[in-house]
Amino acid sequence: QVQLVESGGGVVRPGGSLRLSCAASGFSFSDYGMHWVRQAPGKGLEWVAVAWFDGTDKYYADSVKGRFTISRDNSKNTLYLQMHSLRAEDTAVYFCAKDTGSDYSLDWWGQGALVTVSS
Amino acid sequence: QSALTQPASVSGSPGQSITISCTGTSSDVGGYNYVSWYQQYPAKAPKLMIFEVTNRPSGVPDRFSGSKSGNTASLTISGLQAEDEAYYYCSSYTTTNTEVFGGGTKLTVL
């Protein structure tokens, strides 16, 4: 059974940093692209970033480019999202999600980690 | 990376059919057959319902179907059931190797 478990969420001040982790199990982690998607309170889904297979290819939403870094450790079956220069508008539940293959459709999702940026 | 356009809400009675539209551009929806649809209940993670425009993952009822014409994709739910009441989001791959979601549609079963 596929499982994705996020951790590392919390409260951080504007301008601060935070690192999210997503522990994966139940599938061959290195064979799939992995994404981060966020959802601000009461709002819709917003795609954040993807890291493909060995992590060499990474792409970001314009809203986080230059501030967030996605990475993966295939030896630990873990996906990361390092977030810097956080803003109030980054407040959201952050989901990690597994790609079905290479078509940007997401077939398994974690339960989400809440990040609150507030002074 | 502008969000895809979905109606804010749709409604239907049990047994009826509804269709949710998702409009993008030639740089996303119109340019690729990589449109997905997700169902989300409040405070829950999204669930993939349709991928690659028309395909259903295992376990998704065949009451759910997808289609696309030009820059607009659609999700149709036939034989509406009370349990279908949820938020629905479309998404598409884009020319910049990113993904874009629609704003979401709240489906109310009357």
Side-chain angles (χ1 to χ4, degrees), chain A residues 35 37 39 43-47 50 52 59-63 65 95 100 102-107 109-112, chain B residues 1 34 36 38 40 43-48 50-52 89 91-93 96-104:
Chain A
H35 301 247
V37 176
Q39 186 168 36
K43 302 297 184 182
L45 301 173
E46 181 186 14
W47 181 83
V50 61
W52 289 107
Y59 300 97
Y60 299 90
D62 287 344
S63 58
K65 198 176 298 182
F95 297 99
T100 57
S102 57
D103 64 357
Y104 283 67
S105 59
L106 310 178
D107 57 356
W109 296 64
Q111 83 288 352
Chain B
Q1 292 178 347
Y34 290 153
S36 303
Y38 301 87
Q40 187 182 32
K44 297 293 186 182
K47 175 186 177 182
L48 180 65
I50 297 287
F51 67 99
E52 294 176 2
Y89 294 89
S91 74
S92 174
Y93 173 74
T96 55
N97 295 302
T98 61
E99 183 166 14
V100 61
F101 281 93

Side-chain angles (χ1 to χ4, degrees), chain A residues 46 61 80 85 119:
Chain A
E46 181 186 14
Y80 303 99
S85 303
S119 55

